[in-house]
Amino acid sequence: MEALAPSGRQVQLVHGESSVTVTEVGGGLREYRIGATPVLDGYGADAMASRGRGQLLLPWPNRIADGRYTFRGTAQQLPVNEVALGNASHGLTRWSAWELDRLGPAAVRASFILRAQSGYPFTVSFTAEYHLGDDGLAVTMTATNLGGQPAPVGMGAHPYLTTVGADGDVVRADDVELTVPAATWLETDDRSIPVAARAVADAPVDFRQARPVGSLALDTCYTDLARDPDGRARVRLGAPGGGSVTVWMDETWPYVQVFTGDTLSPQERRRSIAVEPLTCPANAFNSGDGLRVLEPAETVGGTWGIQPTAG
């Protein structure tokens, strides 16, 4: 019997010289290339998605402290899968098999029904439509409450972006010129749970004007995002003398996490930067910040995307 790939069935989208691979496991992004040049710091077809690479984060992104929360007066306990910090991390759909329906040579729909279970007694369907075009990759994510009671929902995505210099070499995080159009960042405790919202002004994490990341270690959630006339907020990673990659998000995503990978393995550390569109920050099931409560049959959705630009 032929062995199954760890990330399951693969669907490749092609538009001109660009290609994107979407996986059955988690419905996430495994690879994005323009010719031989990587846009994503992804993973091989024979590997699992390490450290959330390209994964969708549902029905909550980031962390829930102790995996515990109370919703409508009922206490819930989720599995704690970030054992070192004692948190429930990045939702419940990352390792499940999603349905993949090709919509054309450059588009695919990934869909999954999350069934009611211990710790999350709600039934919610999720979709992610990937469209590759002239302006890069657009991802439209939706959540629909299929159950008979209100359901708490958060959404996020976890792409790691590769920035390539004029010489064709990957630029390490230290040298990336980062722009994050955010007025506020969330201070966290030693378990990465937000404890306060702070103005970025005069703080080391202020990237409203493009500047090199340098030695700064970022695992930082930003909000109060400045938006362009089209309603999109744009986080830009630029290579000195080279190209850039922009992650944009519509108004569905009022938060964005930026992670320089300092806790990854030595060969992965700071070789790329994760830019994570989020509908809510960490621990939203407890704080209520940004949390969406869907009534039965209600749907929430929004679009984010990745736009590479040549140098």
Side-chain angles (χ1 to χ4, degrees), residues 76-165:
Q76 304 290 348
Q77 177 66 64
L78 293 157
V80 171
N81 57 351
E82 190 179 41
V83 176
L85 299 182
N87 299 316
S89 181
H90 287 336
L92 299 168
T93 71
R94 292 192 293 158
W95 307 111
S96 296
W98 287 51
E99 294 289 333
L100 298 181
D101 297 305
R102 183 180 284 280
L103 305 177
V108 67
R109 179 190 297 114
S111 57
F112 180 74
I113 296 177
L114 178 63
R115 304 290 180 174
Q117 58 194 271
S118 178
Y120 191 78
F122 315 101
T123 300
V124 181
S125 70
F126 296 100
T127 65
E129 287 195 7
Y130 296 88
H131 292 263
L132 185 61
D134 291 342
D135 294 329
L137 178 68
V139 186
T140 298
M141 296 172 59
T142 64
T144 302
N145 183 0
L146 300 183
Q149 60 179 317
V153 170
M155 299 191 296
H158 206 302
Y160 287 77
L161 285 306
T162 299
T163 312
V164 178

Side-chain angles (χ1 to χ4, degrees), residues 294-310:
L294 299 184
E295 296 298 323
E298 185 180 4
T299 296
V300 63
T303 304
W304 61 274
I306 301 172
Q307 184 174 18
T309 303

Side-chain angles (χ1 to χ4, degrees), residues 31-264:
E31 189 175 65
Y32 182 1
R33 292 183 174 274
I34 301 177
T37 302
V39 178
L40 284 184
D41 186 2
Y43 58 100
D46 60 349
M48 292 174 59
S50 64
R51 300 305 296 249
R53 294 184 184 279
Q55 291 184 316
L56 306 179
L57 315 177
L58 306 161
W60 73 87
N62 220 299
R63 298 164 172 88
I64 296 176
D66 301 311
R68 297 174 188 160
Y69 68 99
T70 298
F71 183 73
R72 301 291 171 97
T74 301
Q76 304 290 348
Q77 177 66 64
L78 293 157
V80 171
N81 57 351
E82 190 179 41
V83 176
L85 299 182
N87 299 316
S89 181
H90 287 336
L92 299 168
T93 71
R94 292 192 293 158
W95 307 111
S96 296
W98 287 51
E99 294 289 333
L100 298 181
D101 297 305
R102 183 180 284 280
L103 305 177
V108 67
R109 179 190 297 114
S111 57
F112 180 74
I113 296 177
L114 178 63
R115 304 290 180 174
Q117 58 194 271
S118 178
Y120 191 78
F122 315 101
T123 300
V124 181
S125 70
F126 296 100
T127 65
E129 287 195 7
Y130 296 88
H131 292 263
L132 185 61
D134 291 342
D135 294 329
L137 178 68
V139 186
T140 298
M141 296 172 59
T142 64
T144 302
N145 183 0
L146 300 183
Q149 60 179 317
V153 170
M155 299 191 296
H158 206 302
Y160 287 77
L161 285 306
T162 299
T163 312
V164 178
D167 57 3
D169 291 338
V170 172
V171 176
R172 291 185 61 78
D174 306 57
D175 299 319
V176 170
E177 295 176 348
L178 176 65
T179 309
V180 183
T184 302
W185 68 286
L186 302 186
E187 181 183 351
T188 58
D189 62 16
D190 57 4
R191 298 173 62 193
S192 297
I193 300 298
V195 295
R198 307 288 188 192
V200 301
D202 301 320
V205 295
D206 185 357
F207 286 92
R208 289 175 294 175
Q209 299 297 321
R211 63 182 177 90
V213 172
S215 61
L216 189 65
L218 293 172
D219 192 1
T220 306
C221 186
Y222 293 91
T223 190
D224 293 332
L225 303 177
R227 297 183 180 274
D228 295 326
D230 60 4
R232 295 175 176 178
R234 289 173 167 87
V235 176
R236 181 182 180 275
L237 286 67
S244 66
V245 182
T246 297
V247 176
W248 56 265
M249 57 212 79
D250 71 18
E251 294 177 354
T252 305
W253 319 88
Y255 299 85
V256 63
Q257 188 94 7
V258 180
F259 176 48
T260 49
D262 294 82
T263 58
L264 305 188

